[in-house]
Amino acid sequence: KQEVTQIPAALSVPEGENLVLNCSFTDSAIYNLQWFRQDPGKGLTSLLLIQSSQREQTSGRLNASLDKSSGRSTLYIAASQPGDSATYLCAVGGNQFYFGTGTSLTVIP
Amino acid sequence: DAGITQSPRHKVTETGTPVTLRCHQTENHRYMYWYRQDPGHGLRLIHYSYGVKDTDKGEVSDGYSVSRSKTEDFLLTLESATSSQTSVYFCAITPREGEPLHFGNGTRLTVT
């Protein structure tokens, strides 16, 4: 069974800082990896999807990378803003999606 | 936003009663999923569907059943609710494997 780990569980940074969130997985036989954002009491919003054949994807201030061989993905957030405060989850897609428990990000004004 | 509606948004029920949660989509997507989200466990797959009347179990399917009689509706039934099924339930959809998952806003279920 695929195991997905996200470290740290919580992160607090001052506004404007660049930051990296980590996601690791145990089985490299994946179809894709997806990053989500979840605000309190809300559903998950898709941020980026990286196919297994890709190395990275970018959307605005977000950049996600994938290294299948080492079982790692990172989500880079540039110039963080208070509105980025949320929980970020990664999900690894094989025959089904497996989720990490998330990193709770707080950006301090 | 993907057109996904979950109902009800909140429900409180008693142990032993049956409960049905509904997921309705307007995207005509083939794949639909039910997840539960619990502190410390992340999201775990309960059941999924890959077409009308085609369903399969996820990793935490015990105590749950599903039905999909139309493309747009995926129902999750707790046959006899237990306190361990207190959770937030999310529906997700995708048109095909390899495409992004899109989620509904969830149903918060409390079993007393």
Side-chain angles (χ1 to χ4, degrees):
Chain A
K1 174 179 174 277
Q2 179 77 265
E3 300 286 343
V4 182
T5 303
Q6 292 186 249
I7 295 173
L11 182 64
S12 183
V13 301
E15 182 177 1
E17 191 161 298
N18 301 326
L19 59 101
V20 174
L21 306 180
N22 297 294
C23 173
S24 61
F25 49 94
T26 54
D27 186 350
S28 62
I30 66 171
Y31 294 164
N32 52 45
L33 187 144
Q34 194 168 357
W35 282 94
F36 295 88
R37 167 191 175 128
Q38 186 176 27
D39 293 288
K42 302 289 188 181
L44 282 70
T45 300
S46 178
L47 297 174
L48 290 164
L49 174 76
I50 311 176
Q51 300 292 353
S52 62
S53 58
Q54 298 174 319
R55 296 287 299 210
E56 64 179 90
Q57 282 285 340
T58 298
S59 176
R61 293 182 295 108
L62 306 180
N63 175 275
S65 68
L66 174 63
D67 184 344
K68 275 180 45 179
S69 61
S70 67
R72 294 181 184 275
S73 175
T74 61
L75 179 66
Y76 175 83
I77 303 176
S80 58
Q81 304 170 357
D84 294 330
S85 298
T87 296
Y88 291 81
L89 297 105
C90 68
V92 176
N95 57 347
Q96 59 181 274
F97 279 94
Y98 292 92
F99 284 79
T101 52
T103 294
S104 176
L105 173 66
T106 302
V107 180
I108 303 166
Chain B
D1 289 347
I4 309 170
T5 304
Q6 291 187 233
S7 58
R9 290 297 315 279
H10 302 273
K11 186 168 182 68
V12 180
T13 192
E14 293 184 348
T15 298
T17 60
V19 177
T20 296
L21 308 183
R22 181 185 185 229
C23 178
H24 178 79
Q25 59 140 333
T26 58
E27 307 296 320
N28 201 36
H29 284 350
R30 178 182 175 189
Y31 292 86
M32 299 185 75
Y33 304 82
W34 276 109
Y35 288 90
R36 60 179 289 176
Q37 185 176 34
D38 304 289
H41 289 280
L43 278 88
R44 293 177 291 174
L45 182 64
I46 305 171
H47 281 279
Y48 66 100
S49 170
Y50 47 95
V52 174
K53 298 193 189 307
D54 292 323
T55 65
D56 206 349
K57 297 178 180 180
E59 66 176 308
V60 291
S61 60
D62 286 350
Y64 301 94
S65 62
V66 290
S67 65
R68 191 169 178 200
S69 58
K70 299 184 289 186
T71 298
E72 58 266 34
D73 288 326
F74 193 32
L75 303 180
L76 176 71
T77 298
L78 288 66
E79 290 132 13
S80 177
T82 67
S83 58
S84 65
Q85 293 176 312
T86 292
S87 186
V88 181
Y89 291 84
F90 286 101
C91 174
I93 66 174
T94 188
R96 62 191 65 83
E97 289 180 339
E99 295 290 322
L101 274 180
H102 295 282
F103 280 80
N105 284 326
T107 293
R108 183 173 295 275
L109 176 68
T110 302
V111 183
T112 60

